[in-house]
Amino acid sequence: MTGEAWPPLHAGRAWLSRYGPLLSRVVAAVLGGYGLAVLTTLAALALPTSRPEAALAGLLASFLVYAAAIIWVFAVRSAMRAWLGLCVAAAVLLPFAWVAR
């Protein structure tokens, strides 16, 4: 025994620096995409149609938004840009969702 700690203390930082951005993208895709899909559904309720038609339109659009968010998260150069893009999209949809309440 050489007196070194096992596992090495730097092993956690190495794992985080290697897999952290990927884990961040996965969380952004799942949770951020879901959040955008919900905001899309709520924002569609502000459309000038009957409430059931607006809800159906929002539901259909939410599938497209969720898929586009997942593609966006893994297509951009960094995890930070992925989160920033999701936040910008949410900021655009939030006033419409607020009006629809």
Side-chain angles (χ1 to χ4, degrees), residues 41-63:
T41 303
L42 291 176
L45 293 175
L47 291 173
T49 61
S50 67
R51 198 125 172 116
E53 286 180 2
L56 183 60
L59 180 66
L60 292 174
S62 71
F63 288 108

Side-chain angles (χ1 to χ4, degrees), residues 22-98:
L22 177 63
L23 184 62
S24 178
R25 286 178 190 246
V26 169
V27 170
V30 173
L31 297 180
Y34 179 75
L36 281 181
V38 169
L39 283 176
T40 301
T41 303
L42 291 176
L45 293 175
L47 291 173
T49 61
S50 67
R51 198 125 172 116
E53 286 180 2
L56 183 60
L59 180 66
L60 292 174
S62 71
F63 288 108
L64 293 174
V65 169
Y66 196 18
I70 292 171
I71 292 169
W72 163 261
V73 164
F74 289 104
V76 295
R77 290 183 182 219
S78 69
M80 182 63 78
R81 286 186 184 186
W83 281 105
L84 184 63
L86 291 175
C87 288
V88 167
V92 168
L93 288 173
L94 197 57
F96 296 105
W98 185 264

Side-chain angles (χ1 to χ4, degrees), residues 1-22:
M1 207 158 207
T2 61
E4 293 180 18
W6 183 256
L9 297 177
H10 59 82
R13 285 188 300 236
W15 184 89
L16 189 60
S17 67
R18 183 172 181 172
Y19 296 109
L22 177 63

